[in-house]
Amino acid sequence: MQRLKYVMRFRRAMIAFAAATIALSALASSSLAQTRAQIDWNKIDSEALDYFRTYLRFDTTNPPSNTAAAIAYLKAILDQEGIATQTFQSKPGMVTLVARIPGPAGVKPLMLMSHADVVPAVGANWTHHPFDADLTGGYVWARGAIDNKAHGIMALMTMLALKRNGVALRRGVEMMVNPDEEAGGENGAAWMVKNHWDAIDPAFAFNEGGDGAPGWLGIKGITFQVAVSEKRVNWLHVSVRGKGGHGSVPKPDNPNLILINALHRLLEKQPPIRITRIFADAMESIAPLEPFPASLELAHLEWPGMAQAAAASVLSPYNMQALMRDTISLTMLNAGFKVNVVPTVAEAGLDCRLLPGTDANAFLKRLREQLGPGDFSIEYIQRPDDAPASPTSGEAWDAIKRVVASDFKDAIVVPWMTTGGTDSRFLRAKGVPSYGFIPAILDSGEISRVHGDDERLSVENLNRGIKATYDLTIDLCAAQR
């Protein structure tokens, strides 16, 4: 009888605890909803569009990655609002901006991270000049519109909205805008982490690397591939010496022939498929959304022959193939100076991307063997970094899922690994969970414009990205009243 009374009291206590938890959660949600409701989004969006177009007009092409004027522009906006800013110069013209709205002492801030530099653009190939930021057909056309200046404006407007509305914070918020990302980050984020860690030191960070893809792999709705890891950049310069001479006398020791034949041997077959844990988890999470047999293949990529079967069907797109193996891309060739002169040296640039866990030394050894005989020299342009993956559970990850569910219709979140490198790896190497998450919906046609011609972003995407960035920041940083 005594035991029964104890059990009943325990049950009543648990019911009361659950009710209190639900009430507190509802109160917190109500408080956060009220915080969001204070924003005049039409006004914010109009202001942001002007800032965005002006920011895009600064030519921050890398090289030389001169971001000084663009950073000064952003800094002036923040200074006018009374938001604390600092700038750091790694080399002449290469300037980083850090802005901060402080929270309670002893609590590390959330970082909103972006880069100001952009890749080169050949204006003659564009329908709109790449640095005019034309607004046509609901799109802003400019180099950097997606990669990565819109992300900077999303962070900027979030900072302004927080400050103007006097949002009480349980965690501070900072934004960092870097130069040099497009050349590997040595004089941008990497330099900041090495030399000015005390000026940032975040709890977690949000950066480029993941967006919402409609109809991805045939899945209904929007799939946000949130980057928790990335392939490792392994850029190589390959050169070979041969016998120079007169072009009228073909000879087998022509370095161009030696290099061409060697590259053919190397590129004839890419490295074998290897499924990483991150990729397997992502595919397993979407497997129930796929028809048979894709559902079976994606759920069990570790089974013998299953990855090969998926690679021939549902995972046949090139961008998926690149996440299933180390890759080698021939991106540069250089040889000769006159049509009737055989040069003595031929050169190539190889963009290699390594999966997490690949032994870089063993990869280089195999590559050298595949090139075959010849007086080859192989030098690193950029060595691969090692950084742990960010967790797919916990405070930041859960907040991403909540915001995607609330701000986007028919949308899901999957953990992802990017084929390209980002500045997130420098923070991950310091143990800071960093997530590639740009809250925009971009189909394959829009993505193909990144680093290509006619890069653009819709005004609708800019607006939704600003609101989602603000909502995410409120979720993680606003004090619950």
Side-chain angles (χ1 to χ4, degrees), residues 378-452:
I378 304 177
E379 298 176 347
Y380 278 107
I381 300 172
Q382 183 173 323
R383 292 178 179 270
D385 298 295
D386 284 311
S390 299
T392 55
S393 62
E395 189 177 0
W397 181 259
D398 293 345
I400 293 172
K401 294 180 72 173
R402 283 193 296 269
V403 168
V404 167
S406 66
D407 287 16
F408 297 88
K409 183 180 179 182
D410 295 328
I412 61 171
V413 173
V414 298
W416 203 237
M417 174 174 61
T418 60
T419 55
T422 74
D423 285 337
S424 293
R425 68 188 187 276
F426 304 119
L427 296 181
R428 291 183 185 127
K430 291 284 286 186
V432 177
S434 301
Y435 298 92
F437 175 56
I438 298 180
I441 299 173
L442 302 170
D443 62 29
S444 58
E446 295 304 290
I447 290 294
S448 68
R449 298 170 184 266
V450 176
H451 287 212

Side-chain angles (χ1 to χ4, degrees), residues 14 27 61 67 99 126 204 216 226 254 265 271 289 314 343 352 366 437 442 449:
M14 290 302 295
L27 181 61
T61 299
T67 61
W126 287 53
F204 28 70
W216 182 64
V226 176
N254 181 330
R265 287 190 294 270
L289 305 175
V314 65
C352 306
R366 287 193 302 271
F437 175 56
L442 302 170
R449 298 170 184 266

Side-chain angles (χ1 to χ4, degrees), residues 145-178:
I146 297 175
D147 187 12
N148 178 241
K149 289 183 177 178
H151 212 199
I153 295 299
M154 293 171 193
L156 173 70
M157 300 314 298
T158 293
M159 300 289 281
L160 299 185
L162 292 172
K163 180 69 173 180
R164 291 170 181 173
N165 287 278
V167 177
L169 299 175
R170 70 178 189 273
R171 178 187 302 283
V173 183
E174 62 187 11
M175 66 177 284
M176 179 167 72
V177 186
N178 293 298

Side-chain angles (χ1 to χ4, degrees), residues 74-260:
L74 298 179
K75 183 179 186 299
I77 297 169
L78 292 157
D79 288 343
Q80 186 174 350
E81 300 284 336
I83 296 172
T85 61
Q86 291 178 279
T87 55
F88 305 86
Q89 182 170 259
S90 58
K91 286 186 174 182
M94 293 190 181
V95 181
T96 290
L97 170 69
V98 176
R100 181 179 292 109
I101 300 176
V107 180
K108 292 186 177 185
L110 161 69
M111 174 184 282
L112 303 174
M113 187 176 179
S114 65
H115 63 86
D117 64 315
V118 300
V119 297
V122 180
N125 297 336
W126 287 53
T127 57
H128 301 262
H129 190 277
F131 294 104
D132 281 355
D134 288 342
L135 175 60
T136 305
Y139 291 87
V140 179
W141 305 68
R143 173 60 84 220
I146 297 175
D147 187 12
N148 178 241
K149 289 183 177 178
H151 212 199
I153 295 299
M154 293 171 193
L156 173 70
M157 300 314 298
T158 293
M159 300 289 281
L160 299 185
L162 292 172
K163 180 69 173 180
R164 291 170 181 173
N165 287 278
V167 177
L169 299 175
R170 70 178 189 273
R171 178 187 302 283
V173 183
E174 62 187 11
M175 66 177 284
M176 179 167 72
V177 186
N178 293 298
D180 203 40
E181 191 276 343
E182 296 292 2
E186 179 181 351
N187 296 297
W191 184 82
M192 286 296 295
V193 166
K194 181 180 179 180
N195 296 282
H196 297 286
W197 184 248
D198 58 338
I200 47 178
D201 194 13
F204 28 70
F206 296 108
N207 189 27
E208 65 177 338
D211 49 63
W216 182 64
L217 295 182
I219 298 172
K220 181 182 177 182
I222 308 299
T223 303
F224 276 91
Q225 304 147 341
V226 176
V228 297
S229 183
E230 58 194 52
K231 294 186 75 177
R232 299 145 61 212
V233 178
N234 189 54
W235 291 342
L236 301 173
H237 175 264
V238 178
S239 62
V240 63
R241 300 190 69 84
K243 184 75 172 178
H246 202 288
S248 65
V249 183
K251 294 185 295 184
D253 52 5
N254 181 330
N256 288 340
L257 292 177
I258 298 171
L259 182 62
I260 289 170

Side-chain angles (χ1 to χ4, degrees), residues 232-239 259 262-264 266-267 270 327-333 347-353 363-364 367-368 370-371 376-382:
R232 299 145 61 212
V233 178
N234 189 54
W235 291 342
L236 301 173
H237 175 264
V238 178
S239 62
L259 182 62
L263 291 175
H264 176 71
L266 176 66
L267 300 172
Q270 288 285 340
T327 54
I328 306 169
S329 289
L330 173 61
T331 55
M332 299 174 68
L333 286 170
E347 304 170 307
L350 298 177
D351 184 347
C352 306
R353 305 287 172 137
F363 177 86
L364 185 61
L367 186 145
R368 188 182 293 276
Q370 287 176 280
L371 287 174
F376 287 99
S377 172
I378 304 177
E379 298 176 347
Y380 278 107
I381 300 172
Q382 183 173 323

Side-chain angles (χ1 to χ4, degrees), residues 26-84:
L27 181 61
S29 298
S30 175
S31 174
L32 295 180
Q34 290 172 4
T35 303
R36 295 184 178 109
Q38 296 173 0
I39 306 297
D40 181 344
W41 291 111
N42 289 331
K43 183 177 179 181
I44 285 285
D45 293 343
S46 176
E47 181 181 4
L49 182 58
D50 289 339
Y51 291 153
F52 183 42
R53 296 181 68 197
T54 302
Y55 185 29
L56 287 166
R57 292 180 182 124
F58 290 97
D59 185 345
T60 54
T61 299
N62 189 355
S65 191
N66 188 331
T67 61
I71 291 299
Y73 172 70
L74 298 179
K75 183 179 186 299
I77 297 169
L78 292 157
D79 288 343
Q80 186 174 350
E81 300 284 336
I83 296 172

